[in-house]
Amino acid sequence: MAAQETVDHKYVYDFAEGNKDLKDLLGGKGANLAEMTNLGLPVPPGFTITTEACQAYLATGREPDGLAGQIEAHLESLERGMGRRLGDPHDPLLVSVRSGAKFSMPGMMETVLNVGLNDRSVVGLAAQAGGNERFAWDSYRRLIQMFGKTVCEVPGEEFEHALDEAKRVRGTTSDLDLDADDLRGLVDAYKKIFLKHTGRDFPQEPREQLDLAIRAVFESWNAERAVLYRRQERIPADLGTAVNVVAMVFGNLGPDSGTGVAFTRDPASGAQGIYGDYLANAQGEDVVAGIRNTVPLQDLERLDKRSYDELLAIMARLEGHYRDLCDIEFTIERGKLWMLQTRVGKRTAAAAFVIAGQLVDEGLIDLDEALHRVNGAQLAQLMFPRFQLDHDFEPVAKGVGASPGAASGKVVFTSARAVELAAEGEAVILVRRETNPDDLNGMIAAKGILTSRGGKTSHAAVVARGMGKTCVSGADEIDVNVPAKRFSVAGQTVTEGDVVSIDGTTGKVYLGEVPVTPSEVVRYFEGTLDPDEADDALVRAVHRIMTHADAARRLAVRANADTGADAARARRFGAQGIGLCRTEHMFLGDRRELVERLILARTDTERSDALAALLPLQRDDFVEIFREMDGLPVTVRLIDPPLHEFLPPLEQLAVDVAVAQERGEDVAKEEALLAAVRRMHEENPMLGLRGVRLGLVIPGLFAMQVRAIAEAAVRVTREGGSACPEIMVPLVGAVQELETVRAEAEKIIAEVVGDSGVEVLIGTMIEVPRAALTAGQIAEAAQFFSFGTNDLTQMGWGFSRDDVEGAFFWRYLELGIFGISPFESIDRDGVGRLVRIAAEEGRAARPELKLGVCGEHGGDPESVHFFHSVGLDYVSCSPFRVPVARLEAGRAAVETVGSDSR
Ligand code: ADP
Ligand code: MG
Ligand code: MG
């Protein structure tokens, strides 16, 4: 028997055997209880059953061999240490059975207190507590309640009803007014409930109670709410939970006892001080359950000064030891303090920055570590305006929180009206069924966008996120009637000019104005708030950490910007250039007519006339951007989308033409347009006539753009500025495509630039898998690569983004085929491998090749770390994401192995 036990796998650890770094094996709670035990803090003795035991149990449906014997041995040693035995009718040892996984899953799994009480030991417990029968019966009824609910799935309300009934009979609302007899009666009532639901009597055998409770904790790992929570928080499903068996200490022994929770700093603001709640004469769960009003922790100083001082000293010690905000649970049993839990506490985004800054001041951590303690998602959260929560508003509809932030303004239904009102200084909310590329100006002018259709990846959502503009999409309770300029919701009609408020974080829509607070952090980034003068701890902390990130990072950060205004904003946010200037919006709006002329041209002369008319307009666009980005590189992408995107939609046009013909109107022009639209219709536009293919098919199109870029650069340079254009050819798959475009472009550039000193680079996007795989060849003709990871993801996976995100991504996420959409965060193994290959082979062919990435991944924290590791020179993202990318690039640069930021 003894020999058998020595070869058993070790499944049980005494608290004295563990430490805080064993979270995988002992769970967070167990590892930290062990850590506190070894620090010599007053922790009740106990032991931890490992996550491995849980995994084995869940895999086979029974306890692994050796577990029962090891529990027995540890229980015996616990009994010896406490001088009490489990189930002893005269002086029983009671224990708690507590779940505790590697990652804290608040309220997801259960705990049973007072295990070991039965009809006989309850009498012994009362006697040992100096004849305190009330306490003993209160403990017993709690055991039946928690055990019934957690272990045997008895509906918790039934116990609560019985408790309410007992209070009602007593004519009280406080459980403190129930005396020993009331509680004894309640135990009887609870036992009946237990019997009714389980078909058996409440187990009187303490060891059976213990084993069933342990098993229930194992099984709680797979409870539905735990599964849902893990999925949401991306916690792996196979970790399992540990189980902690802890000798009970009692906060319900009378007014000199109690229980509480505390934080070593304010988890909301990060401010230093004492934050916590205390409840006298109560057991654990009562504090959070809110059955009685707790008092602020400071009051404990008056109630029990000695315990209070000891607690403060322990909290200071824990902070120094963990070098971070700690969150603790404690109990006082007749004036003796016991520590029941600690962990590094969760905190708000603002507190994360403030605390990291304070810990640097206190010398507990250095700036590298501070950079680790915060992340880009938190920074992004701090950059959105918020509704002031002290107001009580009822939402009228709820859609998808598509782009976070809070916005109030007058309702408008068209882009034109949005632009008009915004020019008059009005805040407007653009409301539409869905948006399309023509709405861009309206979206720029609006404070927020509300649509009744489409999800997180609809046009409205994607564009709004890119602009950092608040957007609620798919609020389908709203019935939008654009021609009539009104929408109806919840039986009310809202017309143009009425005020609505939208919350892009929660997706909630309110009628009327909800007050909004602008983000201080954005004011700081925009340069309107001086961090040295701000008395705001948050702004100072952000400034300090950002400064360190900028000093540490190796990746440069550029922005995607298509207009002078965007470029200016990007620059204020710290962009070191423009990584993607799209030229297609320069073909929209009032230039549509010229573009139609270009597309419909039947002769070379008609075509070159149209191009000649577009040239000065394009040049002015670039002049504006080069001026704003004086001295910094600007990557201009030649026109990318298929031309029919610039024409009216086929169905609409067909109907218009038919109607006009019916009326006998002259429709020659419309008919020609319709014919062109039909001719250009593509089954698969994503893979059709676009990008470099357009440039090779439509004579003069790319040449016009190249000329406009070069002329703009020369003009800005002659003005005394410095323009650094980089011309980027989209959708290249073969070096010959690039060579052809390049030969023509170089001729034009040489001619325009002359001796002005302007230097124009020519490079390509790498967004077609073939380009990545032949990067060595392509680099011979390219001075830079910019990875277009959106298209690379589409073509790498064979996904058409607009089709797949709504159609089946939910299922892929559910099945775990991917943990996050590959459009949100780069797929390192597949698409990322293409990037790596292209970077390596491109650099091998041309060592000075500049490498960057443009597209939404450039502002995604996870992806930024990947691009750092592949050795790119820069990432480019929307202006609003620039600070996030700067921060994450800094974090990537100081990353140490094995850090655990969760
Ligand atoms: P949770 O993870 O939900 O916080 P816990 O295992 O920490 O669950 O336990 C729930 C409550 O019971 C806590 O307030 C805790 O402090 C208290 N508690 C747990 N074990 C004991 C014990 N041995 N003695 C006294 N109170 C305990
Ligand atoms: Mg707890
Ligand atoms: Mg592309």
PDB file of all heavy atoms in Angstrom, residues 15-30:
ATOM      1  N   PHE A  15      -0.652  23.812   1.306  1.00  0.00           N
ATOM      2  CA  PHE A  15      -0.373  25.229   1.020  1.00  0.00           C
ATOM      3  C   PHE A  15       1.122  25.545   1.166  1.00  0.00           C
ATOM      4  O   PHE A  15       1.663  26.375   0.440  1.00  0.00           O
ATOM      5  CB  PHE A  15      -1.172  26.155   1.950  1.00  0.00           C
ATOM      6  CG  PHE A  15      -2.645  26.199   1.616  1.00  0.00           C
ATOM      7  CD1 PHE A  15      -3.558  26.761   2.511  1.00  0.00           C
ATOM      8  CD2 PHE A  15      -3.129  25.690   0.419  1.00  0.00           C
ATOM      9  CE1 PHE A  15      -4.914  26.817   2.214  1.00  0.00           C
ATOM     10  CE2 PHE A  15      -4.486  25.736   0.119  1.00  0.00           C
ATOM     11  CZ  PHE A  15      -5.380  26.295   1.021  1.00  0.00           C
ATOM     12  N   ALA A  16       1.767  24.860   2.116  1.00  0.00           N
ATOM     13  CA  ALA A  16       3.190  25.160   2.334  1.00  0.00           C
ATOM     14  C   ALA A  16       4.054  24.681   1.173  1.00  0.00           C
ATOM     15  O   ALA A  16       5.212  25.082   1.040  1.00  0.00           O
ATOM     16  CB  ALA A  16       3.661  24.522   3.645  1.00  0.00           C
ATOM     17  N   GLU A  17       3.506  23.842   0.307  1.00  0.00           N
ATOM     18  CA  GLU A  17       4.310  23.282  -0.795  1.00  0.00           C
ATOM     19  C   GLU A  17       4.242  24.090  -2.089  1.00  0.00           C
ATOM     20  O   GLU A  17       4.973  23.819  -3.033  1.00  0.00           O
ATOM     21  CB  GLU A  17       3.837  21.851  -1.117  1.00  0.00           C
ATOM     22  CG  GLU A  17       4.093  20.838  -0.021  1.00  0.00           C
ATOM     23  CD  GLU A  17       3.514  19.483  -0.396  1.00  0.00           C
ATOM     24  OE1 GLU A  17       2.269  19.356  -0.442  1.00  0.00           O
ATOM     25  OE2 GLU A  17       4.295  18.557  -0.657  1.00  0.00           O
ATOM     26  N   GLY A  18       3.291  25.032  -2.163  1.00  0.00           N
ATOM     27  CA  GLY A  18       3.101  25.730  -3.439  1.00  0.00           C
ATOM     28  C   GLY A  18       3.709  27.118  -3.458  1.00  0.00           C
ATOM     29  O   GLY A  18       4.365  27.544  -2.507  1.00  0.00           O
ATOM     30  N   ASN A  19       3.522  27.826  -4.556  1.00  0.00           N
ATOM     31  CA  ASN A  19       3.890  29.239  -4.636  1.00  0.00           C
ATOM     32  C   ASN A  19       3.141  29.896  -5.788  1.00  0.00           C
ATOM     33  O   ASN A  19       2.492  29.214  -6.583  1.00  0.00           O
ATOM     34  CB  ASN A  19       5.396  29.414  -4.780  1.00  0.00           C
ATOM     35  CG  ASN A  19       5.889  28.880  -6.105  1.00  0.00           C
ATOM     36  OD1 ASN A  19       5.474  29.351  -7.165  1.00  0.00           O
ATOM     37  ND2 ASN A  19       6.752  27.871  -6.056  1.00  0.00           N
ATOM     38  N   LYS A  20       3.297  31.230  -5.894  1.00  0.00           N
ATOM     39  CA  LYS A  20       2.445  31.983  -6.823  1.00  0.00           C
ATOM     40  C   LYS A  20       2.703  31.664  -8.294  1.00  0.00           C
ATOM     41  O   LYS A  20       1.899  31.995  -9.153  1.00  0.00           O
ATOM     42  CB  LYS A  20       2.576  33.483  -6.577  1.00  0.00           C
ATOM     43  CG  LYS A  20       3.905  34.112  -6.977  1.00  0.00           C
ATOM     44  CD  LYS A  20       3.807  35.615  -6.765  1.00  0.00           C
ATOM     45  CE  LYS A  20       5.093  36.383  -6.861  1.00  0.00           C
ATOM     46  NZ  LYS A  20       6.176  35.912  -7.692  1.00  0.00           N
ATOM     47  N   ASP A  21       3.822  31.054  -8.585  1.00  0.00           N
ATOM     48  CA  ASP A  21       4.118  30.764  -9.986  1.00  0.00           C
ATOM     49  C   ASP A  21       3.546  29.427 -10.457  1.00  0.00           C
ATOM     50  O   ASP A  21       3.734  29.040 -11.609  1.00  0.00           O
ATOM     51  CB  ASP A  21       5.626  30.805 -10.213  1.00  0.00           C
ATOM     52  CG  ASP A  21       6.180  32.188  -9.887  1.00  0.00           C
ATOM     53  OD1 ASP A  21       5.484  33.183 -10.213  1.00  0.00           O
ATOM     54  OD2 ASP A  21       7.260  32.277  -9.286  1.00  0.00           O
ATOM     55  N   LEU A  22       2.854  28.742  -9.568  1.00  0.00           N
ATOM     56  CA  LEU A  22       2.302  27.434  -9.947  1.00  0.00           C
ATOM     57  C   LEU A  22       0.825  27.521 -10.325  1.00  0.00           C
ATOM     58  O   LEU A  22       0.058  26.597 -10.046  1.00  0.00           O
ATOM     59  CB  LEU A  22       2.490  26.429  -8.789  1.00  0.00           C
ATOM     60  CG  LEU A  22       3.938  26.023  -8.495  1.00  0.00           C
ATOM     61  CD1 LEU A  22       3.994  25.044  -7.311  1.00  0.00           C
ATOM     62  CD2 LEU A  22       4.574  25.382  -9.724  1.00  0.00           C
ATOM     63  N   LYS A  23       0.432  28.609 -10.981  1.00  0.00           N
ATOM     64  CA  LYS A  23      -0.986  28.805 -11.296  1.00  0.00           C
ATOM     65  C   LYS A  23      -1.532  27.741 -12.243  1.00  0.00           C
ATOM     66  O   LYS A  23      -2.695  27.363 -12.153  1.00  0.00           O
ATOM     67  CB  LYS A  23      -1.211  30.166 -11.944  1.00  0.00           C
ATOM     68  CG  LYS A  23      -1.067  31.319 -10.987  1.00  0.00           C
ATOM     69  CD  LYS A  23      -1.816  32.536 -11.527  1.00  0.00           C
ATOM     70  CE  LYS A  23      -1.643  33.740 -10.641  1.00  0.00           C
ATOM     71  NZ  LYS A  23      -0.387  34.468 -10.882  1.00  0.00           N
ATOM     72  N   ASP A  24      -0.699  27.265 -13.150  1.00  0.00           N
ATOM     73  CA  ASP A  24      -1.181  26.231 -14.079  1.00  0.00           C
ATOM     74  C   ASP A  24      -1.651  25.008 -13.309  1.00  0.00           C
ATOM     75  O   ASP A  24      -2.656  24.404 -13.643  1.00  0.00           O
ATOM     76  CB  ASP A  24      -0.053  25.786 -15.023  1.00  0.00           C
ATOM     77  CG  ASP A  24       0.188  26.817 -16.110  1.00  0.00           C
ATOM     78  OD1 ASP A  24      -0.796  27.429 -16.557  1.00  0.00           O
ATOM     79  OD2 ASP A  24       1.354  27.006 -16.494  1.00  0.00           O
ATOM     80  N   LEU A  25      -0.896  24.657 -12.294  1.00  0.00           N
ATOM     81  CA  LEU A  25      -1.164  23.425 -11.559  1.00  0.00           C
ATOM     82  C   LEU A  25      -2.139  23.640 -10.407  1.00  0.00           C
ATOM     83  O   LEU A  25      -3.030  22.833 -10.178  1.00  0.00           O
ATOM     84  CB  LEU A  25       0.170  22.895 -11.006  1.00  0.00           C
ATOM     85  CG  LEU A  25       0.156  21.522 -10.364  1.00  0.00           C
ATOM     86  CD1 LEU A  25      -0.163  20.471 -11.422  1.00  0.00           C
ATOM     87  CD2 LEU A  25       1.510  21.223  -9.720  1.00  0.00           C
ATOM     88  N   LEU A  26      -1.977  24.757  -9.686  1.00  0.00           N
ATOM     89  CA  LEU A  26      -2.753  24.955  -8.453  1.00  0.00           C
ATOM     90  C   LEU A  26      -3.886  25.959  -8.636  1.00  0.00           C
ATOM     91  O   LEU A  26      -4.642  26.204  -7.705  1.00  0.00           O
ATOM     92  CB  LEU A  26      -1.820  25.458  -7.340  1.00  0.00           C
ATOM     93  CG  LEU A  26      -0.606  24.559  -7.028  1.00  0.00           C
ATOM     94  CD1 LEU A  26       0.257  25.189  -5.938  1.00  0.00           C
ATOM     95  CD2 LEU A  26      -1.059  23.166  -6.596  1.00  0.00           C
ATOM     96  N   GLY A  27      -3.997  26.531  -9.823  1.00  0.00           N
ATOM     97  CA  GLY A  27      -4.997  27.574 -10.027  1.00  0.00           C
ATOM     98  C   GLY A  27      -4.536  28.856  -9.362  1.00  0.00           C
ATOM     99  O   GLY A  27      -3.610  28.852  -8.541  1.00  0.00           O
ATOM    100  N   GLY A  28      -5.159  29.969  -9.689  1.00  0.00           N
ATOM    101  CA  GLY A  28      -4.748  31.255  -9.129  1.00  0.00           C
ATOM    102  C   GLY A  28      -4.965  31.306  -7.625  1.00  0.00           C
ATOM    103  O   GLY A  28      -4.098  31.744  -6.869  1.00  0.00           O
ATOM    104  N   LYS A  29      -6.121  30.859  -7.175  1.00  0.00           N
ATOM    105  CA  LYS A  29      -6.441  30.965  -5.752  1.00  0.00           C
ATOM    106  C   LYS A  29      -5.474  30.121  -4.931  1.00  0.00           C
ATOM    107  O   LYS A  29      -4.910  30.592  -3.942  1.00  0.00           O
ATOM    108  CB  LYS A  29      -7.890  30.499  -5.544  1.00  0.00           C
ATOM    109  CG  LYS A  29      -8.510  30.982  -4.265  1.00  0.00           C
ATOM    110  CD  LYS A  29      -9.963  30.493  -4.145  1.00  0.00           C
ATOM    111  CE  LYS A  29     -10.902  31.278  -5.036  1.00  0.00           C
ATOM    112  NZ  LYS A  29     -12.247  30.662  -5.095  1.00  0.00           N
ATOM    113  N   GLY A  30      -5.265  28.863  -5.356  1.00  0.00           N
ATOM    114  CA  GLY A  30      -4.387  27.953  -4.617  1.00  0.00           C
ATOM    115  C   GLY A  30      -2.950  28.443  -4.606  1.00  0.00           C
ATOM    116  O   GLY A  30      -2.277  28.422  -3.566  1.00  0.00           O
TER     117      GLY A  30
END
